Amino acid sequence: MRLVSMFAIVALAELGIFLAVERQIGIFSALLIALFTAVLGSALVKRSGISVWSRIQDKLSSGSLPGRELSAGASILVSGALLISPGFLTDVIGFLLLVPAVQSVVHNQIVRRFGDKINIPTGFGDSGFPGSNSEVIDVDAWEA
């Protein structure tokens, strides 16, 4: 119910902002700006997504966990959803989520809120699975 209320409030705010902008610059200009921000936002989200995907792969290949990169990817995903939805308020929030400084704030908030609930393995045991120190059994030797 809370989520439905939030969507309703955002929709009403978007409608009010659009009508205010439309009264100032006209319907054609307001629609043109909305279309332009959707196209520009799509291009920026694609570029940012490719960049963060490359950084995630670099971190994983070096043996590091890509925590900051994953939260940046989540910010970019939410940004894309906001930028393709019509409206000026969601566009502003969507463009803000593409700014690295804002992504850093989002990452810090995620860590602060969920950091104690996330179990990050620190090493690999004998079996190759994180956190596992169990003995490896050679199947060929066991069958003999």
Side-chain angles (χ1 to χ4, degrees):
M1 187 66 177
R2 195 175 189 184
L3 189 61
V4 172
S5 298
M6 186 176 74
F7 279 119
I9 290 169
V10 168
L12 289 173
E14 289 286 15
L15 182 61
I17 293 169
F18 186 82
L19 290 174
V21 170
E22 182 267 332
R23 272 189 233 117
Q24 294 294 318
I25 64 173
I27 187 73
F28 181 73
S29 297
L31 289 173
L32 195 61
I33 290 171
L35 180 64
F36 175 73
T37 58
V39 171
L40 177 65
S42 297
L44 290 173
V45 165
K46 179 180 178 182
R47 188 173 138 223
S48 298
I50 290 170
S51 173
V52 79
W53 180 251
S54 175
R55 291 194 324 256
I56 288 171
Q57 288 179 326
D58 290 344
K59 282 279 193 169
L60 289 173
S61 66
S62 70
S64 302
L65 293 175
R68 189 166 293 276
E69 289 76 12
L70 289 174
S71 64
S75 293
I76 292 167
L77 181 69
V78 171
S79 172
L82 291 172
L83 287 167
I84 62 170
S85 67
F88 295 113
L89 178 63
T90 53
D91 286 348
V92 168
I93 297 169
F95 281 121
L96 283 174
L97 285 172
L98 291 175
V99 176
V102 175
Q103 291 174 357
S104 181
V105 169
V106 169
H107 173 77
N108 292 338
Q109 290 296 321
I110 291 171
V111 169
R112 188 174 301 127
R113 172 124 189 211
F114 300 108
D116 59 336
K117 295 175 177 65
I118 299 172
N119 184 14
I120 299 174
T122 57
F124 293 90
D126 294 334
S127 67
F129 293 103
S132 172
N133 291 320
S134 61
E135 178 182 339
V136 175
I137 299 173
D138 186 0
V139 176
D140 293 330
W142 182 62
E143 290 177 353

